[in-house]
Amino acid sequence: MTMKTEITELFGIQHPIIQGGMHYVGFAELAAAVSNAGGLGTITALTQKTPEDLANEIARCKDMTDKPFAVNITFLPTVNAPDYPAIVKAIIEGGVGVVETAGRNPVQVMPYLKDAGIKVIHKCTSVRHSLKAQEIGCDAVSVDGFECGGHPGEDDVPNMILLPRAADELEIPFVASGGQADGRSLVASMAMGASGMNMGTRFIATKEAPVHQNVKDAIVAATELDTRLVMRPLRNTERVMTNDAVEKLLAKERELGDKLQFEDIIEQVAGVYPRIMKDGEMEAGAWSCGMVVGLINDIPTCQELIDRTMGEANEIITSRLLGAVA
């Protein structure tokens, strides 16, 4: 089944399914597998140590797929910022057609991306941020509800409210992110105004995701009750999978209250991704994970996952929903 939406038309893809950028997950293997299956795969720029490494990763992905794929650039609020101009240059010279931006406002790079004919989709956790993305020229937005893994913002609005609000306000297309796992997610999101969906955590639990088997097994074993919100006192909230390190972090947050500084929890949150994603050290620290783990029960290939998702969506639309109208 092929589903034509504003998003599939905008990005030149077969299915309205995007694999979100994820630290130490979004490598060429996964991006190519998602794109080959008809979705939009995404390489995560900041996982690469240098812009030269990113250029090599883009080239590697192009060797594995002739379909469109994206590169994620997360703009961090940090003094020692990554070399963003060189990252953008690598993306442009690599012939990438889509960029997913996240974090801070990407306005400073928009002229370079647009001049190169690159489509930009910005991740937003609120309607006001989505409207700002539209104002600065983004082609689409990914609307991230409170359920999402990683940073859900500070408004705590879930997708059942956030998506219809975005539909009421936005003129550019948007995709739903947070809680997306299958055909039910896709149809529900589209019913609320989205043109597709962005899946993050669900794509970690696939055969092609280049992460340790322990990570995939942890996702399959978890329920919707197994994520925690950390760094709330710092107004840098992140949804992560619970483990001993995360519970210690939360205990420290409770103990220190409004005296908490980032340095107090740095051991649990800084530099832990290679140990977790590559080495499978599941107690090393906090790693982003959505509540959607409660809906993930297997580890398919990306092709199997996308085919199944589109089949479920087709069945819901043509059978259940049309039957209800009749």
Side-chain angles (χ1 to χ4, degrees):
M1 172 196 175
T2 297
M3 187 182 288
K4 186 181 286 188
T5 73
E6 291 171 291
I7 286 293
T8 62
E9 296 288 291
L10 181 65
F11 297 145
I13 56 178
Q14 184 180 359
H15 304 306
I17 296 173
I18 297 173
Q19 168 242 318
M22 294 173 283
H23 201 33
Y24 277 88
V25 181
F27 292 95
E29 292 88 348
L30 180 59
V34 173
S35 291
N36 284 332
L40 183 72
T42 305
I43 291 170
T44 306
L46 296 193
T47 296
Q48 300 299 317
K49 290 182 172 60
T50 67
E52 292 74 25
D53 290 336
L54 174 60
N56 291 336
E57 196 71 8
I58 290 169
R60 213 161 64 84
C61 195
K62 288 203 156 190
D63 285 341
M64 289 186 265
T65 185
D66 59 0
K67 302 291 198 304
F69 62 89
V71 173
N72 164 281
I73 314 175
T74 299
F75 294 97
L76 302 171
T78 176
V79 176
N80 300 312
D83 189 350
Y84 288 117
I87 288 170
V88 170
K89 186 168 182 277
I91 289 168
I92 293 171
E93 291 181 351
V96 175
V98 182
V99 163
E100 177 192 62
T101 55
R104 292 202 161 184
N105 189 319
V107 66
Q108 73 271 24
V109 303
M110 288 297 291
Y112 305 101
L113 298 176
K114 301 309 289 183
D115 285 350
I118 293 171
K119 304 296 185 186
V120 180
I121 179 168
H122 187 57
K123 290 176 74 71
C124 304
T125 59
S126 68
V127 174
R128 65 185 182 279
H129 292 150
S130 300
L131 288 169
K132 185 64 179 177
Q134 176 177 277
E135 181 188 317
I136 67 170
C138 291
D139 299 281
V141 290
S142 173
V143 177
D144 287 26
F146 186 54
E147 309 93 325
C148 74
H151 297 279
E154 306 301 323
D155 294 343
D156 300 1
V157 181
N159 269 328
M160 284 290 284
I161 308 301
L162 191 58
L163 297 179
R165 282 286 298 117
D168 288 345
E169 299 279 351
L170 288 170
E171 295 174 11
I172 58 174
F174 66 94
V175 297
S177 184
Q180 311 299 307
D182 52 32
R184 296 172 297 181
S185 314
L186 179 57
V187 174
S189 295
M190 293 183 70
M192 288 185 281
S195 293
M197 66 178 179
N198 179 307
M199 294 197 294
T201 303
R202 172 66 271 199
F203 274 120
I204 304 178
T206 57
K207 291 278 199 299
E208 294 92 345
V211 302
H212 198 283
Q213 188 64 36
N214 289 353
V215 178
K216 302 179 186 185
D217 292 343
I219 289 172
V220 171
T223 76
E224 66 274 17
L225 303 178
D226 289 326
T227 69
R228 300 287 184 268
L229 295 170
V230 299
M231 297 191 287
R232 301 223 84 182
L234 302 176
R235 292 191 63 77
N236 188 30
T237 301
E238 183 176 4
R239 187 179 296 282
V240 300
M241 177 77 85
T242 187
N243 56 31
D244 287 346
V246 167
E247 295 303 330
K248 286 175 186 172
L249 188 162
L250 290 169
K252 195 170 287 186
E253 288 185 357
R254 289 190 295 269
E255 175 192 339
L256 294 175
D258 59 9
K259 296 185 180 64
L260 183 76
Q261 301 291 320
F262 180 73
E263 290 71 25
D264 297 319
I265 56 172
I266 195 167
E267 183 183 338
Q268 287 83 26
V269 298
V272 298
Y273 270 81
R275 293 171 58 196
I276 296 164
M277 296 298 173
K278 292 171 68 177
D279 302 332
E281 295 180 31
M282 301 312 296
E283 301 300 324
W287 57 284
S288 295
C289 183
M291 294 177 81
V292 74
V293 288
L295 302 176
I296 299 172
N297 303 302
D298 64 351
I299 305 171
T301 66
C302 291
Q303 187 74 60
E304 288 166 348
L305 175 61
I306 290 178
D307 286 350
R308 183 172 73 196
T309 296
M310 298 310 299
E312 289 168 352
N314 184 55
E315 173 66 20
I316 292 167
I317 293 167
T318 60
S319 179
R320 186 155 182 254
L321 296 185
L322 281 181
V325 171

